[in-house]
Amino acid sequence: MIAELAYQDLEPGSLARLFGAGHAAVLVRCPEIVAELWRGLLEDSAEQMPWEAPLIDIARNYHGSGDITASLGDLFYFQPGRHGYIARKMALSRDEREGHIAVCPAYFVQGSHHYTPRQAVLDQCWAIGRRLMTALAPEGAPSRDFQIVVQRLKYQESMGDFDRLDALARNSLGRWGRAGCALDERRWQAAGMLSPRGLSDLYGLLADMPLIGRLLRGINRMALRRDRSRDIAPGQRLIEGAHFDYRYFSALCGQRDRMLTQVFADGQWVDLPIDRATLAVFPGSMATQAYGVRHVLHRVLHVERDEPGQAGNPRTDNVTLLIGSV
């Protein structure tokens, strides 16, 4: 279900073979590499992370898109049950004319100063992403143009803080914007035959209406009971709903206390170990389209605990580092 592989054993087609054999994810063991990435991307005191920054700096560093997955720079995205993070996202590409790795955005605003990512860190991220991309492609597959994405995602320690950030984001919208958020929340609850796009939109519009809404909610409750992908254990709360990443692959490492990433395999949710010794790799929709590698449904949960969390570093606690390819 989840395979393991040493970094030195990554070779052309090695990940493709494991995913083709039915593994939902591969844990690539590389503690020294992860430690170096972590130092360069999370522990450089010269870089102000967006969750440490004033809101105006986040806004100045935001390079948005109508598609949240394509946005770069700094952003915060809070929609209950769909997304819940503050992030810094970069895209790397090879500049053939200059002969080096270029990054977008090229710098980040920090008050009256700019921070420029160190070239050595960018080169390392590119080298790791390229090696994973080569291992994902089946042997003999034609090479493809790609970019490497580097994302640092910050989750909250307490569910109360998630709720406060959700409320803050919602309050910035107008009346119709808030109504749209409520419709989206109902739409995401649609299951079974009501879940496809279009039908789920209709469910969101009609679920609160008299008579027909009651009927639709009853049908949806029956579908939810049969849908194992909607199961949530006691003490857990959904932060990022079940979804497929639209990229070739996602490779995750991080420092977690109350956050849990799960992949859906063989009809059940399986915890995906996220730590600072391995890269947890799973394929996305672009791998399905390009190589026939099955993309993996996954989600992020917050785990409620009675005991207080261990005192740590607010800069790096509950942070996930993602390297991927698009």
Side-chain angles (χ1 to χ4, degrees), residues 26-238:
V26 177
L27 303 180
V28 179
R29 299 186 303 276
C30 50
E32 296 85 2
I33 289 173
V34 171
E36 192 172 352
L37 281 174
W38 200 261
R39 285 193 297 270
L41 291 167
L42 273 309
E43 295 178 347
D44 182 358
S45 60
E47 181 178 15
Q48 173 186 260
M49 302 310 301
W51 48 92
E52 302 174 307
L55 185 59
I56 189 60
D57 278 2
I58 296 177
R60 288 166 176 161
N61 291 323
Y62 172 60
H63 299 261
S65 166
D67 178 2
I68 184 65
T69 62
S71 295
L72 294 174
D74 292 350
L75 66 153
F76 68 92
Y77 194 24
F78 291 90
Q79 287 184 297
R82 297 303 294 177
H83 296 280
Y85 56 73
I86 304 170
R88 172 159 288 180
K89 301 183 178 184
M90 304 183 297
L92 311 182
S93 56
R94 179 177 291 281
D95 189 326
E96 298 297 343
R97 293 174 302 173
E98 299 294 333
H100 65 80
I101 303 306
V103 59
C104 182
Y107 63 85
F108 295 95
V109 175
Q110 297 185 172
S112 59
H113 305 285
H114 290 171
Y115 173 82
T116 302
R118 291 189 292 113
Q119 190 64 46
V121 175
L122 302 180
D123 291 344
Q124 183 186 29
C125 291
W126 176 268
I128 294 168
R130 182 180 181 181
R131 185 161 183 172
L132 290 168
M133 185 67 179
T134 301
L136 177 68
E139 288 186 84
S143 60
R144 293 178 175 269
D145 293 332
F146 60 88
Q147 289 185 315
I148 297 301
V149 295
V150 180
Q151 302 182 1
R152 287 159 282 181
L153 312 175
K154 169 71 172 181
Y155 297 97
Q156 301 305 306
E157 172 71 16
S158 73
M159 204 59 238
D161 283 345
F162 277 110
D163 292 337
R164 293 180 186 95
L165 286 164
D166 288 336
L168 179 65
R170 191 183 301 259
N171 188 61
S172 67
L173 301 172
R175 181 163 59 96
W176 285 109
R178 291 193 293 271
C181 283
L183 189 153
D184 274 338
E185 289 181 40
R186 290 194 298 273
R187 180 172 63 86
W188 294 326
Q189 295 166 4
M193 65 180 183
L194 297 173
S195 61
R197 183 174 298 179
L199 288 176
S200 62
D201 295 334
L202 190 61
Y203 176 81
L205 286 168
L206 301 178
D208 285 342
M209 294 186 66
L211 299 179
I212 189 171
R214 184 182 302 174
L215 174 63
L216 287 172
R217 290 196 302 273
I219 294 172
N220 198 56
R221 280 194 297 272
M222 289 188 291
L224 283 170
R225 285 195 289 268
R226 293 194 295 266
D227 188 352
R228 296 295 304 277
S229 71
R230 304 297 184 103
D231 292 348
I232 297 179
Q236 297 178 349
R237 183 162 161 184
L238 194 64

Side-chain angles (χ1 to χ4, degrees), residues 252-263:
L252 309 180
C253 62
Q255 186 163 298
R256 302 288 195 90
D257 178 28
R258 297 174 184 265
M259 303 307 301
L260 180 64
T261 296
Q262 296 180 326
V263 293

